[in-house]
């Protein structure tokens, strides 16, 4: 697989030369592959937010590089806006950045900044609205009349409308209720599947990460602690827990079963997988 | 046990947009909340759970029916301060409920309003900050604290009123897992040690595991009401209301449908593992 | 960037200057300003500069920080200096070029004017550097308490001021966040002419205002829930009480003003 983003020895230090100097990101190196669904997990203060703002050039590395399709994004600082169009970033609580009179106009902000006009502009607005489940008749409404969950969808559509090659989502479901969370994640999964866009999901919720991503990057105090498939990462559940991170509830049940002497893979992370494990165990047991 | 809060056929409507019908958020709620209990109120967005919470200390007044706080009618304006002193509220956004830019000044805000003498305010502030384990931050600026710490300051600000009940209106929704844990363990301790009634409004199912009672709101009414075990074992009913059962119950439910003899009401990871081990061993 | 603003910044400390009652400090600044405006000669200006130097020394505030406070008003200082320098008529002209001329009185008043503004600003900054905003508002409220009889809403004004101070860092942080979010959607705040730049601010200002109103609304509810019902019957955690040091400081302040007035009377 081709890497679309390469992060090389990235370091970001705040307050250089002051008594408050501190590195939020320190010597991080990893690749993000074309078309993958990557999850990033870590505590508040682990460097997640600082890291993702480097991927679209909102922050400039203190040292190290970010390569997009093999090219350093800061090679031509004047063209940094193009990087922001190619790497879309949806911030936490994005509904607080809505400002236009209508939903349609708000979604149009990004694409217009890109220079899109006419039918092309109209197409990408309507398509991205549809992707996040905004109905056509809602497009002419004021975004401030919508419910909290709908506002968030509009904000998401505003970034999708730029048709980025990489989509970064910072805690997209924070504050939503379970149904809202699941609906939004389903939209994002569909988008990923249909467009083959690379998606990076930043989340506090191990359960949410486990159920959606192909690969997980675990951050801890400005460094990459682990990286691998969910099964690989949850196989090291003990390490995660000592690092103060959550483990999906299902994994904890599997670990507890294993500790009770059942022959079970403790790295399962979906209810489905654990059910299958247990059924297989029963069959095996019955055959004996 | 004496009653902390009682509602009888409580109704509430938000004013309508121009020309529209008023939106009923509560349509007949009858509840009795016992003193000293830990109650979790669940429900999807728009189920009326936050509206209900706001009627408990007269931020919202009933459009029909009554709310009694320790027997005091919230519609009686002369009792307003007494009611608000008894029932403290902690809200969702930690930034929007901190009044002062020094921690101790913020915690002192409510007792100052109540006209408590200065020396006693000092004591109350110190005790409240110790109760939420934030005493070392007494002279800090709140905006530099983490979300979980800010919410604990907000809780301290409520405790300084010496209330009998604390209502947390989605107070954990904006926090990360660590912050959420800090807040939960703080309110559980306050409930246990000081006997303060806690009403926790949330949509995180797992916060309800240790509650005495779980109330599920749907469409402005109480849809389910019982112990966590009684409520969470009704997997299909929960799903129909846009909520999900904990993974433990979900797994047990599936295993039962697969023909395994497991109970449904093993909520915690340990209980669940025990139940499954027993069932598999029994085979 | 936005976080670097030093708006009435407070440097915590434990010196006498920090411990003085905020009312004392406000009164001292008032006395200091009166004295400054009465000063007319090199001698009295020297006296004022000496007073400031002594206060700075006591408060242990760095001279660097104090001078940094002058930066935002540098333009005004230079402008005033130039105006006074070139446009004050006098008996004797030191320098003439076209309509520009520098008279001896002009030079004198320019120097004094610049000195006066600098001393004024540094003196006031010294107060904000050594007094937390909250005790400053507290002091103001107590000083103006008498105005309540004239139906001036002193408590409400003080409350508004302290809440504004409380929310400045929050709103600055929020502005940063909104700017980043709009930049991520390709907003461009740097290029273009003045009108384009002003237009580019709309995507920041609209969300910022909406959020400020939302915050105000939620804060009002939260305050009511904590039994806020105006200033009536309110007590305070910290009660302001004049100490011996306050009387000493105020006496010193009055003495300096008297000295300046006496010197002025004798034409000095």
């Amino acid at each position: 697989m081709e890497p679309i983003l390469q992060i090389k020895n990235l370091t970001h230090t705040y307050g250089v030369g002051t008594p408050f100097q501190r590195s939020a990101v320190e010597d991080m190196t990893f690749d993000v592959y074309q078309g993958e669904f990557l999850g990033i997990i870590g505590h508040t203060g682990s460097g997640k937010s600082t890291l993702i703002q480097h991927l679209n050039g909102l922050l400039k590395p203190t040292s190290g590089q970010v390569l997009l399709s093999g090219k350093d994004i800061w090679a031509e600082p004047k063209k940094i806006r193009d990087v922001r169009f190619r790497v879309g970033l949806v911030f936490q609580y994005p509904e607080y950045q809505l400002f236009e009179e209508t939903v349609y106009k708000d979604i149009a902000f990004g694409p217009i900044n890109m220079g899109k006009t006419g039918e092309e502009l109209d197409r990408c607005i309507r398509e991205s609205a549809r992707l996040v489940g905004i109905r056509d008749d809602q497009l002419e409404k004021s975004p401030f009349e919508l419910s909290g969950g709908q506002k968030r969808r509009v904000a998401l559509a505003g970034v999708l409308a730029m048709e980025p090659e990489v989509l970064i989502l910072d805690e997209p479901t924070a504050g939503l209720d379970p149904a809202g969370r699941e609906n939004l994640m389903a939209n994002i999964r569909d988008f990923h599947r249909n467009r083959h866009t690379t998606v990076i999901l930043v989340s506090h919720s191990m359960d949410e990460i486990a159920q959606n991503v192909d690969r997980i990057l675990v951050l801890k105090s400005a460094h990459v602690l682990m990286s691998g498939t969910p099964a690989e990462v949850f196989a090291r559940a003990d390490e995660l827990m000592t690092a103060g991170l959550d483990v999906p509830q299902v994994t904890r049940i599997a670990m507890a079963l294993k500790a009770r002497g059942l022959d079970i893979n403790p790295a399962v992370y979906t209810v489905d997988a654990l059910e299958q494990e247990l059924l297989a165990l029963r069959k095996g047991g019955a055959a004996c | 046990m004496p009653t902390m809060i009682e509602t009888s056929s409580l109704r509430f409507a938000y004013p309508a947009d121009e020309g529209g019908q008023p939106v009923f958020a509560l349509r007949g709620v009858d509840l009795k909340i016992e003193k000293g209990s830990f109650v979790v109120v669940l429900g999807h967005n728009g189920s009326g759970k936050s509206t209900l919470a706001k009627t408990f200390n007269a931020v919202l007044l009933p459009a029909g029916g009554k709310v009694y706080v320790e027997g005091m009618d919230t519609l009686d304006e002369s009792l307003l301060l007494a009611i608000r002193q008894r029932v403290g509220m902690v809200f969702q956004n930690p930034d929007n409920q901190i009044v002062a830019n020094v921690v101790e000044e913020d915690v002192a805000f409510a007792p100052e309003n109540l006209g408590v003498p200065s020396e006693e305010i000092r004591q109350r502030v110190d005790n409240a900050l110790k109760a939420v384990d934030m005493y070392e931050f007494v002279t800090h600026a709140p905006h530099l604290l983490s979300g979980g710490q800010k919410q604990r300051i907000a809780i301290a600000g409520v405790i300084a009123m010496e209330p009998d009940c604390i209502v947390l209106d989605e107070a954990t929704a904006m926090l990360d897992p660590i912050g959420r844990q800090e807040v939960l363990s703080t309110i559980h301790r306050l409930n246990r040690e000081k006997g303060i009634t806690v009403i926790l409004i949330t949509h995180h199912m797992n916060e309800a595991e240790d509650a005495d009672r779980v109330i599920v709101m749907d469409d402005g009414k109480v849809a389910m009401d019982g112990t966590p075990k009684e409520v969470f074992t009704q997997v299909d009913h929960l799903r129909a209301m846009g909520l999900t059962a904990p993974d433990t119950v979900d797994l047990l439910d599936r295993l039962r449908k697969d023909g395994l003899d497991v109970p449904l009401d093993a909520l915690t990871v340990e209980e669940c593992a025990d139940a499954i081990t027993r069932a598999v061993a029994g085979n | 960037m936005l976080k670097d603003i030093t708006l009435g910044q407070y440097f915590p400390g434990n010196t006498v200057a920090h411990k003085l009652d905020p009312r004392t400090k406000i009164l001292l600044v008032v006395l200091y300003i009166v004295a400054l405006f009465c000063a007319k000669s090199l001698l009295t200006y020297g006296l004022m500069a000496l007073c400031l130097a002594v206060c700075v020394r006591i408060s242990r505030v760095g001279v660097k920080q104090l001078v940094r406070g002058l930066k935002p008003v540098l333009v005004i200082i230079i402008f005033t200096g130039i105006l006074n320098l070139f446009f004050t008529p006098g008996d004797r002209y030191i320098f003439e070029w076209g309509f520009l001329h520098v008279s001896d009185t002009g030079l004198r008043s320019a120097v004094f004017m610049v000195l006066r503004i600098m001393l004024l600003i540094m003196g006031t900054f010294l107060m904000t550097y050594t007094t937390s905003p909250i005790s400053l508002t507290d002091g103001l409220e107590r000083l103006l308490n008498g105005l309540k009889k004239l139906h001036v809403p002193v408590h409400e004004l003080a409350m508004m001021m302290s809440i504004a101070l409380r929310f400045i860092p929050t709103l600055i942080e929020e502005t940063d966040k909104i700017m980043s979010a709009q930049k991520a959607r390709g907003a461009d705040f740097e290029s273009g002419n003045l009108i384009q730049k002003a237009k580019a601010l709309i995507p920041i200002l609209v969300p910022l205002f909406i959020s400020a109103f939302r915050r105000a609304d939620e804060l009002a509810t939260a305050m009511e829930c904590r039994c806020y019902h105006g200033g009536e019957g309110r007590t305070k955690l910290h009660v302001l009480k004049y100490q011996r040091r306050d009387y000493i400081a105020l006496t010193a302040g009055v003495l300096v003003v008297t000295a300046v007035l006496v010197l002025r009377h004798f034409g000095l």
Side-chain angles (χ1 to χ4, degrees):
Chain A
M1 262 201 296
E2 279 292 300
I4 182 157
L5 277 170
Q6 290 163 279
I7 288 79
K8 291 192 168 164
N9 307 99
L10 182 72
T11 296
H12 191 90
T13 311
Y14 286 108
V16 179
T18 70
F20 308 108
Q21 178 168 337
R22 124 197 119 79
S23 289
V25 170
E26 214 171 338
D27 199 25
M28 278 192 195
T29 299
F30 64 91
D31 292 343
V32 181
Y33 298 102
Q34 177 76 55
E36 79 169 325
F37 201 141
L38 176 71
I40 299 184
I41 195 154
H43 284 319
T44 312
S46 61
K48 287 178 305 192
S49 307
T50 308
L51 171 66
I52 55 173
Q53 291 188 55
H54 279 87
L55 306 186
N56 75 339
L58 277 175
L59 289 176
K60 207 172 174 177
T62 308
S63 67
Q65 282 183 313
V66 176
L67 307 186
L68 175 61
S69 311
K71 209 178 135 207
D72 186 343
I73 61 168
W74 287 100
E76 288 172 273
K78 290 232 159 104
K79 292 198 174 162
I80 197 70
R81 268 177 80 201
D82 297 340
V83 173
R84 293 181 191 152
F85 298 134
R86 291 176 62 192
V87 181
L89 172 55
V90 182
F91 275 88
Q92 244 179 60
Y93 299 100
E95 58 272 29
Y96 294 149
Q97 45 174 282
L98 300 175
F99 69 97
E100 274 287 7
E101 292 157 52
T102 67
V103 170
Y104 185 92
K105 281 189 190 168
D106 210 292
I107 300 177
F109 183 65
I112 287 175
N113 283 330
M114 291 173 83
K116 285 191 183 175
T117 50
E119 266 175 43
E120 166 72 358
L121 178 66
D122 188 64
R123 177 195 60 79
C124 68
I125 293 168
R126 286 178 192 282
E127 260 185 38
S128 58
R130 216 166 297 140
L131 270 171
V132 296
I134 298 287
R135 295 189 314 270
D136 273 359
D137 65 294
Q138 290 174 317
L139 287 176
E140 289 312 316
K141 277 195 175 173
S142 158
F144 305 110
E145 286 171 23
L146 303 178
S147 74
Q150 285 170 327
K151 276 187 208 165
R152 182 162 310 178
R153 285 158 191 279
V154 173
L156 179 58
V159 173
L160 292 183
M162 303 193 299
E163 304 186 322
E165 295 159 52
V166 181
L167 176 68
I168 308 174
L169 303 144
D170 189 0
E171 296 273 346
T173 61
L176 299 180
D177 62 6
R181 281 200 287 263
E182 186 38 43
N183 279 337
L184 192 68
M185 282 319 298
N187 285 146
I188 293 166
R189 279 197 300 269
D190 285 346
F191 169 76
H192 173 249
R193 206 171 300 129
N194 300 336
R195 293 285 178 84
H196 309 292
T197 304
T198 310
V199 178
I200 302 178
L201 171 69
V202 178
S203 176
H204 286 309
S205 158
M206 219 25 131
D207 282 294
E208 189 169 279
I209 292 262
Q211 279 155 26
N212 291 291
V213 307
D214 308 325
R215 195 160 68 93
I216 302 179
L217 202 68
V218 183
L219 303 188
K220 191 186 179 238
S221 36
H223 292 90
V224 177
L225 180 70
M226 294 179 203
S227 128
T229 62
E232 283 167 2
V233 168
F234 297 134
R236 298 160 69 184
D238 289 329
E239 265 178 85
L240 284 174
M241 291 204 267
T242 18
L245 285 160
D246 234 1
V247 174
Q249 202 180 20
V250 175
T251 312
R252 280 191 285 140
I253 302 172
M255 287 167 73
L257 288 170
K258 175 96 181 165
R260 281 165 178 71
L262 294 193
D263 180 22
I264 265 188
N265 173 15
V268 291
Y269 51 88
T270 61
V271 175
D272 221 23
L274 183 54
E275 184 192 7
Q276 294 311 319
E277 285 267 337
L278 284 166
L279 289 180
L281 190 73
R282 188 174 62 157
K283 262 183 207 143
C288 283
Chain B
M1 253 203 247
T3 307
M4 180 70 228
I5 292 168
E6 184 176 355
T7 72
S8 66
S9 29
L10 169 64
R11 290 157 64 81
F12 182 84
Y14 285 101
D17 294 336
E18 288 164 55
Q21 291 290 313
V23 194
F24 270 91
L26 296 176
R27 0 173 134 243
V29 177
D30 291 283
L31 276 177
K32 236 186 205 156
I33 295 191
E34 288 177 344
K35 230 176 196 171
S37 59
F38 194 112
V39 181
V40 170
V41 181
L42 293 169
H44 61 82
N45 286 347
S47 60
K49 60 184 192 305
S50 274
T51 309
L52 179 67
K54 291 193 179 87
T55 62
F56 288 165
N57 72 341
V59 170
L60 298 177
L61 296 174
K66 292 277 189 186
V67 177
Y68 296 101
V69 173
E70 295 180 343
M72 294 181 285
D73 186 345
T74 59
L75 283 170
D76 184 345
E77 232 173 283
S78 64
L79 296 173
L80 192 65
L81 278 186
I83 287 170
R84 291 197 173 147
Q85 182 266 317
R86 301 283 204 298
V87 181
M89 276 267 208
V90 180
F91 294 94
Q92 184 176 24
N93 191 329
D95 281 318
N96 299 352
Q97 50 190 320
I98 291 177
V99 187
N101 47 11
V102 182
V103 166
E104 59 174 6
E105 297 273 358
D106 188 72
V107 177
F109 185 69
E112 285 179 342
N113 291 332
L114 292 166
V116 174
S118 298
E119 311 85 67
E120 199 191 325
I121 299 182
R122 180 78 260 165
Q123 271 176 6
R124 285 195 188 191
V125 168
D126 292 350
N127 290 340
L129 282 171
K130 281 174 192 157
V132 299
D133 208 7
M134 287 292 289
Y135 185 62
E136 55 187 307
F137 296 96
V138 66
T139 54
H140 280 233
H143 73 269
L144 298 175
L145 301 175
S146 75
Q149 289 173 326
K150 283 182 200 167
Q151 284 303 56
R152 283 190 283 157
I153 296 299
I155 295 173
V158 166
I159 295 176
M161 297 196 294
E162 304 190 331
D164 297 326
C165 175
I166 301 182
V167 181
L168 296 105
D169 186 6
E170 296 193 36
T172 56
M174 291 180 81
L175 304 180
D176 64 3
I178 291 183
R180 193 170 295 148
Q181 205 43 58
E182 286 172 7
V183 168
L184 286 174
S185 60
T186 304
I187 52 173
H188 272 289
R189 203 176 53 235
L190 289 172
N191 174 250
R192 228 175 19 242
E193 290 171 8
K194 298 197 188 249
I196 295 177
T197 313
V198 174
I199 302 173
L200 176 68
I201 319 284
T202 182
H203 41 231
H204 287 277
M205 303 298 134
N206 48 4
E207 292 177 9
E209 263 174 24
D210 312 321
D212 297 326
R213 178 175 171 194
V214 175
I215 295 167
V216 180
M217 294 290 295
D218 190 47
D219 196 25
K221 284 187 182 139
V222 175
M224 295 161 100
D225 186 354
T227 63
K229 289 190 177 182
E230 286 163 6
V231 169
F232 287 136
T233 45
Q234 303 182 43
V235 181
D236 299 325
H237 194 176
L238 280 173
R239 210 164 280 148
M241 286 182 300
L243 298 172
T244 44
D247 283 343
T248 44
V249 179
D250 190 14
L251 178 70
L252 294 169
D253 183 47
R254 288 186 192 210
L255 291 174
R256 273 163 79 103
K257 284 174 185 155
D258 293 328
L260 225 66
D261 180 27
V262 285
L264 252 186
D265 61 353
L267 287 190
T268 66
V269 167
E270 295 302 316
E271 284 173 357
C272 174
D274 280 339
I276 294 174
T277 316
R278 240 178 285 128
V280 173
N283 253 320
Chain C
M1 59 190 151
L2 279 169
K3 286 177 187 126
D4 299 334
I5 293 176
T6 57
L7 196 98
Q9 202 175 10
Y10 167 56
F11 297 101
N14 212 10
T15 67
V16 181
H18 286 86
K19 282 188 203 147
L20 278 180
D21 191 296
R23 289 171 296 177
T24 309
K25 285 189 260 189
I26 295 168
L27 290 174
L28 280 178
V29 166
V30 172
L31 287 175
Y32 174 80
I33 292 172
V34 169
L36 258 184
F37 278 92
C38 294
K40 274 178 83 182
S41 67
L42 217 55
L43 179 67
T44 39
Y45 269 101
L47 181 66
M48 294 316 296
L50 186 72
C51 285
L52 182 68
V54 170
C55 294
V56 172
R57 185 90 190 92
I58 293 174
S59 65
R60 305 226 182 101
V61 169
V63 177
K64 226 192 234 168
Q65 275 143 1
L66 210 56
V67 174
R68 212 179 53 193
L70 289 175
K71 240 193 201 159
V73 281
L74 203 62
V75 184
I76 301 176
I77 296 176
I78 293 173
F79 189 68
T80 325
I82 289 176
L83 271 187
N84 275 286
L85 188 62
F86 290 111
F87 298 104
T88 313
D91 315 324
R92 207 157 53 82
Y93 290 106
I94 305 169
F95 169 85
E96 264 182 290
W97 187 77
F99 66 96
L100 294 174
H101 46 77
V102 177
S103 71
D104 55 344
T105 35
L107 186 64
R108 205 180 132 89
S109 73
V111 170
F112 281 167
M113 206 58 180
V114 168
L115 255 174
R116 182 181 288 169
I117 299 177
M118 281 171 54
L119 285 174
L120 187 86
I121 289 165
M122 288 199 281
T124 339
F125 267 73
L126 193 62
M127 176 178 69
T128 61
Y129 282 170
T130 57
T131 321
S132 74
I134 203 148
S135 59
L136 207 55
T137 27
D138 212 15
L140 265 177
E141 183 182 354
R142 291 290 300 275
L143 274 178
L144 301 178
N145 224 351
L147 293 179
K148 271 185 189 161
K149 292 199 184 83
L150 303 172
H151 298 292
V152 179
V154 177
H155 166 76
E156 284 74 10
L157 288 173
M159 183 55 87
M160 277 196 260
M161 207 164 123
S162 71
I163 287 175
L165 285 167
R166 145 77 187 86
F167 274 91
I168 284 173
T170 308
L171 289 177
I172 286 177
E173 202 178 301
E174 176 130 38
T175 313
D176 255 354
K177 248 188 233 157
I178 296 172
M179 273 177 86
S180 297
Q182 305 300 24
K183 271 194 209 160
R185 292 164 80 190
D188 184 1
F189 304 119
E190 274 104 44
S191 55
N193 59 33
L194 205 62
I195 294 173
Q196 281 166 326
K197 271 188 185 162
K199 259 191 171 167
L201 288 180
I202 294 174
I204 300 176
L205 292 180
V206 173
L208 193 63
F209 269 90
I210 290 173
S211 132
F213 280 113
R214 197 192 62 242
R215 283 181 194 280
D217 191 38
E218 286 180 18
L219 185 73
T221 310
M223 284 170 71
E224 278 185 14
C225 284
R226 286 160 76 184
C227 299
Y228 181 69
H229 56 285
E232 207 143 311
R234 230 176 160 259
T235 46
K236 287 267 182 185
L237 169 62
H238 296 294
V239 185
L240 293 178
K241 238 179 167 173
Y242 286 116
Q243 309 278 334
R244 216 165 74 105
R245 54 173 172 260
D246 294 299
Y247 294 117
I248 297 173
L250 283 172
T251 315
V254 171
L255 281 178
V256 169
V257 177
T258 321
V260 170
L261 285 173
V262 168
L263 286 170
R264 183 188 159 101
H265 182 73
F266 291 108
L268 282 166

